[in-house]
Amino acid sequence: MSTAELGTGNLWLHFTRTSDWLGDAPSIPTMDRAEGCYVWDTDGKRYLDALSALFCAQIGYGHPSMGQVARAQMDRLPFATNWSYAHQPAIDLAAALAERFPGDLNHFFFVNSGSEAVESAVKMAQQYHRLNGEPERTQVISRNYAYHGTTLGALGVTGLAGLREPFEPLRPVHHYVPNTNAYRPQHDDPAQAVEDKILEIGPDRVSLVIAEPVQNAGGCFTPPADYWPRLREICDRYGVLLACDEVITGFGRLGYWTGAEKYGVVPDLLTFAKGVTSAYLPLGGVGFNERISKLLQLEKTTMFVHGATWGGHPVAAAVALENLRLFDELGVLDNVRANESWFEEQLRGLYERHEIVGDVRGTGYFWALELVKDREHKVMFDAVESEQLLRGFLSARLLELGMICRADDRDEPVLQLSPPLIADRETLGEIIGILDQVLGEAAKRMVAL
């Protein structure tokens, strides 16, 4: 299908304005092939994928062994469910993840996506408390602007009102607390805000606190040094389960297998997807600890009352195992840790050269630049200006210059960067060069308006 043929309307895109792709002149490319850190559209134009597709193409594109493993598994056992049966690829993958995840996160329930992983964690937490004799523990706490998925349960956890409103009323169990945006702080002590919310709801009614190690929506909000250890202490104090949502941050994005490891915490549940297969096939899941496992084995008739036909698909599980092997062979985690400080220095150089950049934040290969109207006073662009900046100029211009990243305003306008974890300094430097050009152009454009 060519880009122009998108206008027929047979294909409907995800979270994409219809005006961008339906009509006489669609403004989005149709991707055709990929290799390394680059993708090509059907017109032959090459793009540096500085977003890893959607924070998930960890090892980049075109590793032949991934297809070979998938083919071999298709030939041997193309499908078997994990619903009342098991198969070896899922068994082996669970064992491999147990070796890489922190603490006693030794048990794994596989699904197909990040939203399903979050949904599973919410349900598992509620069933845990019910089995533990506390069925009134149903309330869930998450953070403002946090994105945790689109299925109705995960959507309730998502702290973006604009995504929830079309589908309300949702389950009346969701509560939101300040996030860890240090540039525009919502609370002088975000960990204390979590405890305050638990006390406000009633400690004996709260089931789960869920948060990303580094929050995606809003632009890579990193936590204070003591934030995660304090969340662990607070949840333990009140008998609340703690979940790390690592759908984005897991599998090397922050330079570690998990963000939990980076920030020195062992949660009760850890959700993952995206990077577990480097997006070569869909797979997600939730890892959980021994105390949850023991309650789910309490009696012979006990089960986790949840399932998905394709959860832990044997071909996806086999590909995930090959992905983990390639992580080791390619030295992926070492590459991120070796280059993250250099990458940060280059991004901060953009801050020095361009007044439109108000803040640089992130870690590993996960960064955001917040764009501002007046840096000295942190003056924000208004809604009309933001629309003109992000969608009227930046999104199209970046594609024109041959780079994919995210120009987003789910809080304030940001450019988000999440390159494949195999990217070297030459590739990272190409990202900086394109940003250097486009930020200068954007600043001049906004002054002229």
Side-chain angles (χ1 to χ4, degrees), residues 290-321:
E290 292 293 336
R291 62 170 166 156
I292 296 174
S293 170
K294 287 178 180 178
L295 271 187
L296 292 175
Q297 302 174 58
L298 190 61
E299 298 180 7
K300 290 182 178 180
T301 56
T302 304
M303 69 172 77
F304 178 35
V305 190
H306 186 46
T309 300
W310 292 286
H313 193 289
V315 181
V319 166
L321 283 162

Side-chain angles (χ1 to χ4, degrees), residues 119-140:
E119 193 99 3
S120 300
V122 172
K123 291 177 76 172
M124 186 174 286
Q126 187 164 337
Q127 188 176 352
Y128 165 85
H129 291 298
R130 183 172 291 274
L131 290 170
N132 204 32
E134 298 181 288
E136 68 282 0
R137 285 189 180 268
T138 59
Q139 310 298 299
V140 180

Side-chain angles (χ1 to χ4, degrees), residues 349-410:
L350 295 175
Y351 173 90
E352 296 298 329
R353 293 191 293 277
H354 300 285
E355 287 287 327
I356 197 172
V357 179
D359 192 32
V360 177
R361 52 184 181 255
T363 187
Y365 273 27
F366 190 42
W367 291 88
L369 308 178
E370 181 169 327
L371 307 181
V372 295
K373 189 172 182 177
D374 177 348
R375 183 161 72 189
E376 182 180 357
H377 301 99
K378 295 187 181 181
V379 176
M380 301 172 284
F381 292 106
D382 63 29
V384 172
E385 292 167 334
S386 181
E387 176 74 16
Q388 292 173 328
L389 173 63
L390 296 181
R391 296 173 187 87
F393 176 69
L394 280 174
S395 295
R397 182 60 173 147
L398 286 163
L399 288 176
E400 186 178 312
L401 293 173
M403 190 171 82
I404 297 168
C405 70
R406 170 174 272 180
D408 191 26
D409 61 351
R410 287 181 289 181

Side-chain angles (χ1 to χ4, degrees), residues 248-311:
I248 287 177
T249 58
F251 299 95
R253 182 55 52 195
L254 308 185
Y256 296 81
W257 287 114
T258 66
E261 178 186 357
K262 177 179 176 68
Y263 292 113
V265 68
V266 179
D268 301 295
L269 305 109
L270 190 152
T271 58
F272 59 91
K274 295 186 184 286
V276 66
T277 64
S278 286
Y280 278 67
L281 281 176
L283 179 69
V286 55
F288 54 100
N289 64 12
E290 292 293 336
R291 62 170 166 156
I292 296 174
S293 170
K294 287 178 180 178
L295 271 187
L296 292 175
Q297 302 174 58
L298 190 61
E299 298 180 7
K300 290 182 178 180
T301 56
T302 304
M303 69 172 77
F304 178 35
V305 190
H306 186 46
T309 300
W310 292 286

